[in-house]
Amino acid sequence: MALSEKIKNTINGIRHQFPTEQALLLPTLHEVQNEKGWVSMDSMRDIGEFLNLPLSKVREVASFYTMYKLEPQGKVDVQICTNISCWLNGADKLVSCASKKLGIHAGETTADGKFTLSQVECLAACGTAPAMMINEDYHENLTEESLIKILDQAKSDLDAGKVVGKDTRKDGVWP
Amino acid sequence: MMYNNEHFEPVITPNVDKPNCETIEFYIQHENGYKALEKALKMKPAEVVDEVKKSNLRGRGGAGFPTGMKWSFMPANPVDANGNPKPKYLVCNADEGEPGTFKDRLIFTKTPHRMIEGMIIAGHAISSNKGFIYIRGEWFKEARLMQKAIDDAYAKGFLGKNILGSGFNYDLVIYKGAGAYICGEETALLNSLEGKRGEPRLKPPFPAQVGAYGMPSCVNNVETFAAVPYIIEKGWEKYAKMGTERSGGTRMIGVSGHVNKPGVYELPMNLSINDIIEIAGGMKGGKLKAVIPGGASAPMLRADECNVLTDYDSLAKAGTMAGSGGLIVMNDTVNIVEATYTLLKFYEHESCGQCSQCREGSHWLARMFKRILDGGGTQDDLDYIAKICGNMAGQTICAFADAVTGPALSSVRKFREEFEEMVMKGGLKGIGRTESVSHKMVGAHV
Ligand SMILES: Cc1cc2nc3c(=O)[nH]c(=O)nc-3n(C[C@H](O)[C@H](O)[C@H](O)COP(=O)(O)O)c2cc1C
Ligand code: SF4
């Protein structure tokens, strides 16, 4: 199994912008993460082959950054910020609320594989705290009511076969 | 209201509340966009550097290093071992990850062209032909907005070959991080930009000698670049006059926490913290208790210390720092031990792990605070905290370890009674507070 043509094309399209092959590692990991939802050992091997890098290099980088998930995630990744400004504005209540609503703790994925819930550190949205991310989209100035509404919407969108939380993505275009 | 500085005018944000302010058309039509670039390209690089030096612009990324001086450290005609010329790179630090700091995001989404223009001018000033914008990975939308802005600037001939007929070539490339606070540190950022783990490098060599991809490089913050067009357009004097003797211009202050109107405010530097809280709508939900004036790593100030001015030097004299301009306001419903633990948990998670003092120290501190919250703390712990901090600050590859000690030390020093009470009464429960969810280690903490 190799990387998809789409990923290869995207990365080949930006290759000329960087002086080294290794510089393409983060972009390629991003594309794999987007396409598959996580970065498996097989994907890392494929990336290594594609960029002429040893697997160990790919692994050490993939495991350093929190955005690369080394295990399968839910289709909807709910990440609530609990750092200082969000915390001061009641982020912990939001975590409880989401936890109750989804029936999982932070750090877990629902049994149907639809939702993952996590606490994250600072989204640079302190002025519109509390904030969270759903996949690639920010949601700010949250209340328990708006949180529940957003989760409900995500669920019905997902059930209707829509892609959730990637509103601005244009495939094949980096970034 | 309290803008008692006759020279003050917004440099970066005059129009950020207007519709379509992020477009190139708006920037050109209403903000004299890219006129400064035209002017700069007629100046010699050294003249541009000189103008910025005299403006007293200091870096807005945290350390406040004079920008013109940093640019002048770049070697003029670097060559490799074989005598061939080496490229020079300019890097924009848009990794904004300091808790409490959110000003760069506003610049990115509302006035991206101001930053792009500043970066092209800086490129000319240090004779570089290529710039990288390193954006924090969570900013998917922001990265695409910036890419659109870059594409538009290319289309209008402000980027690319022979810009405005001057013979100067400049390319801008976006690079996305992947969720690591430490990549805001400039040498960690360079490693990350090379596709490696974001681990800070030992200095020397400094980036001006060995930077991105081994080439001489200069790293500046988003806001720093965004200030440059104004300086070139209106002249250094006007910019310098707005600030203090040792620091020119305005500052973008992100006010968050317990205020009625949190947000980013562009302000003169001769305002006190109390003034800024007033401007941000005043206190919400209680009386003022403590303020962190410059992003999470700046030492805290007690309410009675908030009459201090917010320029670099006044804050330094008050034992804290202007840092990255994130002003976090806490009211008297906040328990300081809990608030500090929130910050320490962050640092524990984000230490890159290269230095044992930092890796172990940030872990210990977080655990000690947790133990105190859980009711297992002792009086000795409070002295021990200072000891651990003493072994961290100034002993490591980068300033991250120092940053950890900011909240840890200042909170124990300034709110010692609160710590003692918590130790004596057996933690949060003992003082009648319930443990917040975010303080429980729930599942994998990512
Ligand atoms: C732990 C740590 C985190 C940092 N994070 C950022 C950041 O998010 N953004 C930034 O511009 N500078 C950050 N800095 C400061 C940079 O290392 C560097 O000083 C700055 O980007 C230089 O730009 P300036 O001269 O325009 O301020 C950080 C420094 C440290 C030690
Ligand atoms: S001080 Fe901490 S973050 Fe900085 S290099 Fe050392 S371990 Fe890494």
Side-chain angles (χ1 to χ4, degrees):
Chain A
M1 217 180 49
L3 294 183
S4 72
E5 284 308 308
K6 204 162 83 192
I7 292 181
K8 284 186 185 168
N9 287 339
T10 305
I11 299 302
N12 285 332
I14 60 167
R15 204 173 272 260
H16 68 282
Q17 297 181 330
F18 300 97
T20 66
E21 191 93 339
Q22 181 159 2
L24 297 167
L25 181 48
L26 264 66
T28 312
L29 282 162
H30 274 305
E31 291 302 314
V32 169
Q33 169 84 31
N34 171 60
E35 189 177 280
K36 305 199 185 298
W38 68 295
V39 183
S40 66
M41 196 59 116
D42 281 340
S43 299
M44 287 192 238
R45 232 173 249 122
D46 297 339
I47 293 171
E49 231 161 78
F50 178 58
L51 297 177
N52 293 312
L53 293 169
L55 176 61
S56 59
K57 274 263 178 295
V58 181
R59 275 188 71 183
E60 72 165 29
V61 170
S63 59
F64 182 82
Y65 298 93
T66 41
M67 282 174 71
Y68 303 133
K69 311 292 181 192
L70 305 185
E71 278 163 22
Q73 301 287 301
K75 292 241 179 319
V76 181
D77 192 9
V78 182
Q79 310 186 54
I80 303 179
C81 175
T82 50
N83 209 299
I84 188 84
S85 303
C86 286
W87 178 75
L88 288 170
N89 284 295
D92 49 332
K93 286 198 205 85
L94 294 181
V95 177
S96 295
C97 172
S99 186
K100 219 180 317 151
K101 169 94 188 152
L102 300 172
I104 48 173
H105 287 114
E108 295 174 354
T109 300
T110 52
D112 59 9
K114 283 183 182 159
F115 287 88
T116 297
L117 177 66
S118 42
Q119 282 179 227
V120 291
E121 301 291 4
C122 202
L123 298 171
C126 320
T128 42
M132 70 169 172
M133 270 184 102
I134 288 193
N135 294 342
E136 298 184 1
D137 292 349
Y138 272 59
H139 298 272
E140 295 159 75
N141 291 314
L142 291 169
T143 60
E144 287 178 58
E145 295 78 62
S146 67
L147 173 74
I148 288 176
K149 229 163 120 187
I150 293 163
L151 291 179
D152 281 336
Q153 184 67 45
K155 183 152 193 314
S156 66
D157 282 354
L158 192 68
D159 291 345
K162 287 194 207 150
V163 182
V164 176
K166 292 187 179 180
D167 284 354
T168 60
R169 176 169 274 278
K170 290 193 199 79
D171 274 323
V173 178
W174 172 264
Chain B
M1 103 188 75
M2 267 154 272
Y3 299 26
N4 51 354
N5 180 334
E6 53 184 303
H7 304 292
F8 172 78
E9 65 174 344
V11 166
I12 295 168
T13 61
N15 293 305
V16 291
D17 50 351
K18 313 249 162 64
N20 304 322
C21 59
E22 76 284 1
T23 61
I24 195 162
E25 290 79 19
F26 185 98
Y27 186 55
I28 290 172
Q29 223 174 60
H30 301 283
E31 307 206 80
N32 236 352
Y34 292 103
K35 282 280 178 264
L37 175 64
E38 212 178 308
K39 189 170 166 189
L41 288 175
K42 291 191 184 119
M43 297 160 70
K44 287 202 187 68
E47 288 169 353
V48 178
V49 173
D50 203 44
E51 192 81 13
V52 171
K53 258 190 195 165
K54 285 193 288 201
S55 77
N56 269 341
L57 170 63
R58 288 171 69 168
R60 304 294 199 240
F65 194 82
T67 305
M69 199 190 300
K70 193 187 253 183
W71 291 2
S72 68
F73 291 158
M74 289 292 285
N77 297 303
V79 288
D80 64 15
N82 301 321
N84 298 318
K86 283 207 256 187
K88 290 186 253 186
Y89 297 125
L90 190 62
V91 183
C92 172
N93 188 343
D95 194 51
E96 184 154 85
E98 181 95 349
T101 310
F102 51 101
K103 65 189 175 66
D104 295 344
R105 188 166 163 238
L106 178 94
I107 299 175
F108 245 72
T109 46
K110 297 295 181 182
T111 177
H113 287 284
R114 192 172 283 280
M115 196 211 86
I116 293 175
E117 185 179 12
M119 231 180 137
I120 309 170
I121 295 172
H124 170 56
I126 64 164
S127 304
S128 154
N129 300 108
K130 184 154 191 161
F132 295 98
I133 304 180
Y134 185 96
I135 302 184
R136 69 173 289 169
E138 288 87 347
W139 288 358
F140 290 93
K141 199 168 133 203
E142 287 79 357
R144 284 175 204 130
L145 270 174
M146 184 50 77
Q147 187 62 53
K148 164 100 176 56
I150 290 174
D151 294 346
D152 291 347
Y154 268 108
K156 291 245 193 282
F158 301 128
L159 277 170
K161 293 226 159 15
N162 190 19
I163 296 169
L164 302 172
S166 66
F168 176 61
N169 308 327
Y170 200 68
D171 286 306
L172 266 185
V173 171
I174 286 184
Y175 199 81
K176 282 184 58 169
Y181 163 70
I182 192 59
C183 290
E185 197 280 338
E186 59 180 359
T187 58
L189 183 151
L190 295 173
N191 273 335
S192 186
L193 183 60
E194 293 179 5
K196 301 173 181 159
R197 295 165 72 99
E199 287 168 339
R201 301 172 180 173
L202 269 174
K203 294 193 267 191
F206 289 92
Q209 264 67 49
V210 184
Y213 309 104
M215 303 302 163
S217 304
C218 176
V219 184
N220 282 120
N221 172 258
V222 173
E223 186 189 344
T224 311
F225 285 127
V228 171
Y230 181 97
I231 296 169
I232 299 300
E233 192 194 334
K234 310 254 167 113
W236 64 269
E237 236 172 334
K238 207 163 168 191
Y239 189 80
K241 259 195 193 142
M242 271 190 251
T244 62
E245 196 184 327
R246 292 185 49 206
S247 170
T250 62
R251 282 211 78 185
M252 304 270 285
I253 305 282
V255 193
S256 67
H258 291 145
V259 291
N260 286 314
K261 290 194 291 171
V264 181
Y265 295 85
E266 185 173 8
L267 301 169
M269 280 181 252
N270 64 342
L271 296 174
S272 73
I273 291 179
N274 286 330
D275 294 338
I276 296 177
I277 293 174
E278 256 336 278
I279 290 168
M283 290 302 298
K284 187 175 83 178
K287 279 203 318 223
L288 177 63
K289 176 165 185 172
V291 163
I292 303 176
S297 14
M300 292 177 194
L301 294 172
R302 279 193 317 254
D304 61 339
E305 297 173 303
C306 287
N307 209 3
V308 58
L309 295 187
T310 50
D311 64 281
Y312 293 90
D313 299 323
S314 306
L315 284 173
K317 224 188 275 160
T320 178
M321 57 189 195
S324 49
L327 194 91
I328 306 162
V329 182
M330 295 183 248
N331 70 20
D332 56 3
T333 65
V334 175
N335 180 279
I336 291 292
V337 189
E338 242 188 313
T340 313
Y341 176 62
T342 305
L343 294 170
L344 291 176
K345 227 169 24 134
F346 165 78
Y347 287 113
E348 177 192 28
H349 183 257
E350 299 292 336
S351 166
C352 89
Q354 284 188 101
C355 320
S356 44
Q357 296 95 319
C358 171
R359 183 182 61 240
E360 315 258 319
S362 51
H363 188 69
W364 266 15
L365 285 170
R367 295 285 138 165
M368 277 177 82
F369 273 70
K370 176 81 173 113
R371 192 153 49 82
I372 295 170
L373 287 171
D374 287 346
T378 66
Q379 292 292 332
D380 287 347
D381 282 349
L382 304 186
D383 300 321
Y384 210 57
I385 289 168
K387 217 169 183 177
I388 298 176
C389 290
N391 281 326
M392 293 175 73
Q395 316 264 353
T396 50
I397 296 176
C398 86
F400 181 96
D402 299 65
V404 183
T405 65
L409 265 186
S410 62
S411 67
V412 181
R413 279 204 186 130
K414 299 195 170 174
F415 297 91
R416 192 164 176 115
E417 332 77 62
E418 212 157 289
F419 281 81
E420 285 174 349
E421 188 192 1
M422 190 161 299
V423 167
M424 236 153 54
K425 295 193 177 161
L428 275 176
K429 277 205 193 82
I431 60 165
R433 288 174 76 92
T434 45
E435 185 178 16
S436 82
V437 174
S438 61
H439 289 171
K440 286 184 204 145
M441 292 288 174
V442 269
H445 189 81
V446 273

